[in-house]
Amino acid sequence: MIVCNDLSSIQYFSHTQKKEFKSIALVPTMGALHNGHLSLIETAKKYCESVVVSIFVNPAQFGPTEDFDTYPRTLNADLETCKSLHVDAVFCPTTSMIYPHSTPTTTVFVNHLSTLYCGKTRPHFFEGVTNVVSRLFNIIQPNVAVFGEKDFQQLAIIKQLVTDLHMPISVVGSPIIRNQNGLALSSRNAYLTKQEHDQASSIYSALLSGKKQFQSNLILQKKNLIQCILNNLDSAISVDYLVVVDATTLEEVDTLKPGQFVLFAGYLNKTRLIDNISI
Ligand code: AMP
């Protein structure tokens, strides 16, 4: 495995892979790798001969009052993990490599989709994501890019970005990885106390109980599905949004149908948690 700390070394790596007719799968991350990231790497291996993991805590996707400074950074352990998974290259850029100007002179923004749900509460967030991902795509030029279905809206936005800008990249979604209590793994779970872990696990059990009731025809209407989920959520969790959406357009639906998704975001004290489930 090679570790690339500058643009020219990762570009040289990509160039040599392509010369050897090896396809490249990119797994973009902010580090603090957990089993969710590991499953993305395993997915990437199924698609391409060569796997690149990027590790970059992207300041552009954090708001001024958010946790950029305290976000967990575990680079040495992350590199060991990548090595043990036989990742081919890890790209660890600095902020000035990705954004040479303190205010970017070119920005990439996916209209509309970026303004829904997480985009309402975190107006800077998806613009930060599309700015960094488009730059990583241009630097590394992967054939495939793997993103987690945990960040369902983000995955839809990246698919839109690649389509709109005619990027020759297949965007692949990889399933949500959870702990034994159902809590979706997240680098931010490191902020949670033991009690908060238990409270946060109610998110998945609440989503699951709604899904089961819908699938057993005990719930037919959207408002009842939402109420059922709210009733099963731990009272310590404050809901940011809880919506039922079409899986492709991400527009809210009026009538429940199998294959739609319930998207959740909320806070447990200061920690933001997101999750989703198909019904
Ligand atoms: P992050 O490092 O949090 O920016 O996440 C990097 C990638 O890992 C994103 O595509 C996330 O959707 C994905 N990811 C994070 N947590 C999980 C999880 N529990 N299961 C699957 N993918 C995940």
Side-chain angles (χ1 to χ4, degrees):
M1 183 180 91
I2 68 159
V3 179
C4 301
N5 293 309
D6 54 48
L7 298 185
S8 55
S9 57
I10 189 69
Q11 284 172 322
Y12 180 74
F13 173 82
S14 291
H15 178 71
T16 50
Q17 299 303 294
K18 298 219 159 159
K19 254 174 81 180
E20 292 170 18
F21 300 102
K22 287 185 184 161
S23 56
I24 300 172
L26 172 65
V27 181
T29 80
M30 297 208 297
L33 301 184
H34 51 66
N35 284 342
H37 298 112
L38 272 47
S39 77
L40 264 52
I41 293 172
E42 295 300 345
T43 300
K45 282 192 197 166
K46 290 187 190 137
Y47 282 84
C48 293
E49 285 98 2
S50 187
V51 173
V52 177
V53 173
S54 62
I55 298 179
F56 177 59
V57 184
N58 174 32
Q61 69 190 67
F62 290 80
T65 60
E66 291 184 346
D67 56 344
F68 175 73
D69 290 333
T70 53
Y71 195 84
R73 288 164 172 85
T74 57
L75 184 60
N76 289 339
D78 292 347
L79 293 177
E80 284 306 314
T81 303
C82 289
K83 209 169 164 183
S84 69
L85 291 176
H86 306 291
V87 166
D88 297 276
V90 182
F91 179 44
C92 314
T94 60
T95 301
S96 62
M97 283 173 205
I98 299 293
Y99 305 111
H101 307 282
S102 51
T103 307
T105 39
T106 300
T107 58
V108 180
F109 183 70
V110 173
N111 289 323
H112 184 61
L113 270 182
S114 303
T115 64
L116 307 172
Y117 317 128
C118 283
K120 281 194 187 133
T121 320
R122 307 180 72 196
H124 51 275
F125 176 63
F126 288 119
E127 184 163 8
V129 169
T130 44
N131 271 317
V132 75
V133 167
S134 53
R135 283 162 174 77
L136 291 171
F137 284 177
N138 279 335
I139 295 164
I140 298 165
Q141 306 210 350
N143 305 87
V144 168
V146 184
F147 290 84
E149 288 170 358
K150 192 193 91 171
D151 297 84
F152 198 79
Q153 188 178 1
Q154 170 173 280
L155 177 60
I157 288 170
I158 303 294
K159 284 182 176 166
Q160 191 69 55
L161 165 83
V162 161
T163 304
D164 290 349
L165 298 186
H166 305 286
M167 293 175 162
I169 300 172
S170 303
V171 176
V172 172
S174 196
I176 303 178
I177 303 299
R178 303 177 179 282
N179 73 10
Q180 69 278 14
N181 297 323
L183 176 63
L185 297 186
S186 162
S187 305
R188 287 196 170 94
N189 291 356
Y191 301 146
L192 301 175
T193 63
K194 164 81 182 81
Q195 188 195 17
E196 287 173 331
H197 262 101
D198 295 342
Q199 292 166 327
S201 302
S202 73
I203 297 169
Y204 180 58
S205 50
L207 291 172
L208 202 57
S209 61
K211 174 184 173 124
K212 282 185 181 156
Q213 300 238 26
F214 170 68
Q215 292 190 337
S216 324
N217 293 323
L218 295 169
I219 283 179
L220 302 174
Q221 292 191 352
K222 182 173 87 167
K223 69 172 192 302
N224 297 337
L225 176 65
I226 299 288
Q227 197 53 54
C228 165
I229 294 169
L230 291 175
N231 291 346
N232 284 286
L233 266 186
D234 191 287
S235 59
I237 294 169
S238 62
V239 176
D240 178 17
Y241 61 78
L242 179 59
V243 288
V244 187
V245 304
D246 177 89
T248 314
T249 65
L250 255 65
E251 294 299 335
E252 273 195 78
V253 300
D254 293 323
T255 313
L256 297 182
K257 288 198 189 114
Q260 293 167 341
F261 274 74
V262 182
L263 308 184
F264 166 89
Y267 290 90
L268 183 49
N269 300 318
K270 283 189 175 156
T271 306
R272 185 174 174 82
L273 300 162
I274 61 170
D275 204 342
N276 65 76
I277 200 164
S278 66
I279 56 168

